[in-house]
Amino acid sequence: MKVLSVNAGSSSLKFQLYEMPEENVLMKGVFERIGLEGSFYTLKIQGEKIKKEAPLPSHEDAVAILIQELLSNQMISSLEEIKGIGHRVVHGGSKYKGSCLITEEVLKDIEEFFPLAPLHNPANLIGIQAFMKNIPNAIEVACFDTAFHQTMEEERFLYALPYEWYEKYGVRKYGFHGMSHQYVSRRASELLDKKFSNIIVCHLGNGGSVSAVRDLKCVDTSMGFTPNAGIVMGSRSGDIDYSILPYIMKQTGKSIEELDTILNKQSGMYAISGISSDFRDIEEKIAEKDRRAIMAHYLFVNSVVSYIAKYYVELGGADAICFTAGVGENSPHVRNMIMKRLSCLGVKMDRDKNEELRFGKEGVISTPDSSITCFVIPTDEEVMIARDTYEFSK
Ligand code: AMP
């Protein structure tokens, strides 16, 4: 059975076509600069990469071209072959605790959550509507980034703020990157061959979050009401003392919107290093002993380690610590810094394995006598979407 996994952004649309239940990726691609000048798309079919320029005034135009490409590349012989389309939806509020079939009610809810995810949910909805129109026979499934974290208890997700802010306005911790945390914690439990286990997942990408997972259920996570909480990120500040904001507003006359942009786009590694939000650029400068690049790494590592320590205690010990996403999967330097700091817990790194496991390789980077098994597990949010969609399409 063929299933599409879709991730629609405001000006982009990523997809993967799967043969299920084998989980074979038949074709994948991304449409970029939708609604802008200079739009184009790239496709990957059996290892071959194709790039084409094309006007893409809307997401619907991108979906129309996608269908053409699927047909002309003989991925499908008719649209009827696509049984299910799974969509990544960033925010499912407190309501959605798992993926679900998209109905009128779900569409309304996604819209109702716009204020909670103003950059993402509108784009996700546009993507869903474009597919509903162009491939009407397929079922559509919404896979929420927040759903995996819905098992958090009130004492973990509430902020110590007026209770009516929670009741009236939904102010609480939601957590994000849910499909990644779910995929990686499941995979770690498989590799440990232990369903009942305590796992700490470090999703360290341009955005980053750490989560505590007990018996495959999320107990706590570092992102909060928005993705700007928790660890230091590429260009997001992570946790700060909120009182900095009124202080800086008074000092500079900047508006709250300007500060929001600064906190999300001009903070984090970018701000401290003064170089870039990309860890590769910063690591290059570390090799040249650049003081601010080194400082940025320390800040980052400190924030990750503080969450691992917190979750180690919250879980009452850990069977595994997992590294995933761009930095977690590819930077032995960052993993080394983090694991060294965990030596007080009895964590021991296997140097060769740590150097070896990069660029999509999965495995253990701790020694056999390490108190906690440390894994590198390349994340796969797309396959989680495809699996959930397949379950509804069967
Ligand atoms: P993601 O958001 O998961 O796509 O991760 C993107 C981040 O991964 C970027 O900030 C890159 O700096 C980082 N990254 C990718 N490859 C490497 C690498 N080889 N070494 C260090 N960081 C990397």
Side-chain angles (χ1 to χ4, degrees):
M1 180 194 296
K2 296 197 171 69
V3 159
L4 269 173
S5 167
V6 175
N7 185 355
S10 55
S11 64
S12 70
L13 191 148
K14 287 189 202 147
F15 75 92
Q16 298 210 12
L17 178 72
Y18 283 89
E19 182 68 56
M20 296 299 281
E22 296 83 357
E23 301 185 352
N24 289 334
V25 179
L26 303 174
M27 180 170 169
K28 65 180 181 178
V30 51
F31 292 81
E32 293 183 63
R33 300 186 61 81
I34 298 173
L36 302 168
E37 290 285 308
S39 50
F40 63 96
Y41 63 96
T42 44
L43 304 174
K44 206 168 174 190
I45 314 167
Q46 284 155 4
E48 195 196 340
K49 217 169 170 186
I50 302 161
K51 182 174 171 186
K52 292 186 187 176
E53 284 170 22
L56 299 171
S58 72
H59 285 70
E60 267 183 45
D61 298 293
V63 176
I65 293 179
L66 165 58
I67 292 170
Q68 286 292 316
E69 291 286 359
L70 292 176
L71 289 166
S72 63
N73 285 289
Q74 286 149 15
M75 293 293 136
I76 52 170
S77 51
S78 83
L79 279 187
E80 309 296 312
E81 273 182 55
I82 301 174
K83 299 291 181 209
I85 304 169
H87 298 269
R88 178 185 199 164
V89 180
V90 164
H91 222 300
S94 297
K95 181 167 174 180
Y96 292 95
K97 303 185 189 324
S99 302
C100 67
L101 270 181
I102 298 179
T103 59
E104 278 304 315
E105 184 188 341
V106 176
L107 291 174
K108 264 198 213 126
D109 286 339
I110 293 172
E111 197 168 346
E112 201 162 289
F113 301 140
F114 279 5
L116 293 174
L119 297 179
H120 295 101
N121 270 32
N124 301 152
L125 186 63
I126 288 171
I128 294 170
Q129 285 165 335
F131 279 92
M132 287 178 108
K133 200 161 174 194
N134 282 282
I135 315 184
N137 59 295
I139 62 148
E140 312 270 341
V141 175
C143 305
F144 299 96
D145 244 356
T146 46
F148 180 62
H149 305 300
Q150 281 296 310
T151 46
M152 281 187 292
E153 303 272 359
E154 234 179 4
E155 71 215 45
R156 308 262 191 232
F157 72 65
L158 281 179
Y159 292 110
L161 290 168
Y163 198 72
E164 68 178 50
W165 290 8
Y166 164 54
E167 291 180 310
K168 273 198 191 161
Y169 310 116
V171 174
R172 51 159 287 180
K173 182 194 277 192
Y174 291 101
F176 298 88
H177 294 141
M179 275 166 303
S180 175
H181 287 285
Q182 187 174 20
Y183 173 84
V184 172
S185 53
R186 268 197 206 173
R187 185 75 192 121
S189 127
E190 275 168 25
L191 293 169
L192 287 169
D193 197 17
K194 205 171 165 196
K195 183 167 175 208
F196 300 103
S197 48
N198 291 339
I199 294 168
I200 297 172
V201 179
C202 306
H203 177 111
L204 312 178
N206 192 26
S209 58
V210 181
S211 70
V213 180
R214 177 182 295 127
D215 306 341
L216 305 180
K217 292 200 175 73
C218 177
V219 171
D220 207 346
T221 193
S222 62
M223 281 182 167
F225 177 63
T226 73
N228 199 10
I231 64 172
V232 171
M233 298 174 231
S235 64
R236 292 190 193 123
S237 62
D239 297 336
I240 59 159
D241 175 346
Y242 84 91
S243 298
I244 295 165
L245 301 184
Y247 173 75
I248 289 295
M249 285 169 82
K250 279 188 201 137
Q251 296 297 316
T252 65
K254 285 194 195 303
S255 68
I256 195 72
E257 287 78 17
E258 284 173 292
L259 290 194
D260 193 42
T261 304
I262 293 172
L263 251 52
N264 277 288
K265 302 215 164 111
Q266 294 156 27
S267 297
M269 301 296 282
Y270 170 82
I272 300 299
S273 70
I275 298 162
S276 158
S277 61
D278 193 305
F279 279 69
R280 286 164 290 201
D281 300 338
I282 301 170
E283 284 186 13
E284 261 177 38
K285 289 286 178 184
I286 288 178
E288 296 166 19
K289 303 216 174 345
D290 182 280
R291 191 187 77 82
R292 280 180 57 184
I294 294 169
M295 185 57 62
H297 260 76
Y298 278 126
L299 251 80
F300 176 75
V301 167
N302 283 345
S303 73
V304 176
V305 168
S306 70
Y307 272 98
I308 294 175
K310 176 173 151 69
Y311 293 159
Y312 179 85
V313 174
E314 278 188 36
L315 290 169
D319 298 292
I321 296 171
C322 310
F323 294 97
T324 195
V327 181
E329 291 170 27
N330 297 308
S331 175
H333 177 70
V334 166
R335 296 191 303 237
N336 180 22
M337 285 176 79
I338 293 172
M339 287 175 72
K340 264 194 187 150
R341 294 277 306 278
L342 301 175
S343 60
C344 59
L345 297 178
V347 170
K348 292 185 191 165
M349 191 183 72
D350 180 327
R351 274 178 167 275
D352 295 341
K353 277 283 173 198
N354 184 44
E355 288 299 324
E356 184 193 321
L357 294 188
R358 306 175 73 180
F359 310 129
K361 285 192 204 146
E362 179 187 87
V364 175
I365 53 170
S366 50
T367 58
D369 63 339
S370 174
S371 59
I372 307 173
T373 308
C374 298
F375 290 108
V376 173
I377 300 180
T379 194
D380 196 342
E381 291 155 297
E382 292 77 17
V383 85
M384 291 302 294
I385 296 174
R387 282 178 194 171
D388 284 1
T389 306
Y390 173 67
E391 284 307 312
F392 285 101
S393 315
K394 278 198 284 191

